[in-house]
Amino acid sequence: MAESERSSPDADDLAGLLPEHSLLSLDEYLDMQRAIGNETRFRILHFLAERGAHSAKELEQGLDLPSNTLHYHLDALIDVGLVENRKRKQPDTEGLYSYYRVTSLGEGILEHGVRELMREEWDLLDAYSD
């Protein structure tokens, strides 16, 4: 079918994707997906999901990223709700007041998005490699 013959999706085509009183809009879900479509942001999110909360300095060292690059991408992940910056009232043993951690939305998009696709690829490779 030629491109011009296809009808473009409209709001009616997307009806029913989300519950009537969804907490998030379709645009917000798509913003999350776009955010982890960037390799650096995916690496940050994966690192936090696997290793738990970390300070910015620990993330810089663990991911080998310059501070400005890290903060740019952390801000993008925070803006869409995949990471949160928590502040302590009292410093920890190393004097740190602030740390970053993955949110439940961040865990969900990793587990039921990119990671699931990666697992499926491994399963297919295993099934057809014999």
Side-chain angles (χ1 to χ4, degrees):
M1 175 182 283
E3 189 68 33
S4 60
E5 294 175 28
R6 292 185 186 153
S7 62
S8 62
D10 59 18
D12 291 337
D13 293 336
L14 302 175
L17 285 178
L18 296 173
E20 183 178 343
H21 301 290
S22 177
L23 297 175
L24 300 173
S25 69
L26 178 60
D27 285 340
E28 289 169 316
Y29 280 111
L30 294 174
D31 287 344
M32 284 184 234
Q33 195 65 44
R34 277 189 287 277
I36 68 159
N38 173 280
E39 182 180 344
T40 301
R41 290 192 287 270
F42 176 80
R43 288 179 54 223
I44 293 168
L45 192 63
H46 178 74
F47 185 94
L48 290 171
E50 292 298 311
R51 300 182 188 185
H54 280 70
S55 69
K57 184 56 88 180
E58 292 167 331
L59 287 169
E60 286 174 36
Q61 294 168 348
L63 293 165
D64 193 28
L65 291 172
S67 178
N68 61 337
T69 300
L70 173 71
H71 285 283
Y72 172 81
H73 291 291
L74 277 172
D75 288 345
L77 291 167
I78 290 167
D79 286 348
V80 297
L82 300 177
V83 168
E84 63 184 355
N85 182 1
R86 305 288 297 198
K87 301 198 185 318
R88 296 181 175 104
K89 292 182 185 204
Q90 299 294 320
D92 68 6
T93 57
E94 297 174 12
L96 299 173
Y97 284 97
S98 178
Y99 62 96
Y100 297 88
R101 71 179 190 186
V102 68
T103 64
S104 59
L105 287 171
E107 289 275 0
I109 204 165
L110 275 177
E111 189 58 32
H112 301 290
V114 177
R115 286 180 178 167
E116 191 168 310
L117 289 171
M118 290 174 176
R119 277 193 305 274
E120 287 178 16
E121 183 177 8
W122 278 107
D123 291 346
L124 286 171
L125 287 171
D126 288 343
Y128 292 103
S129 65
D130 296 331

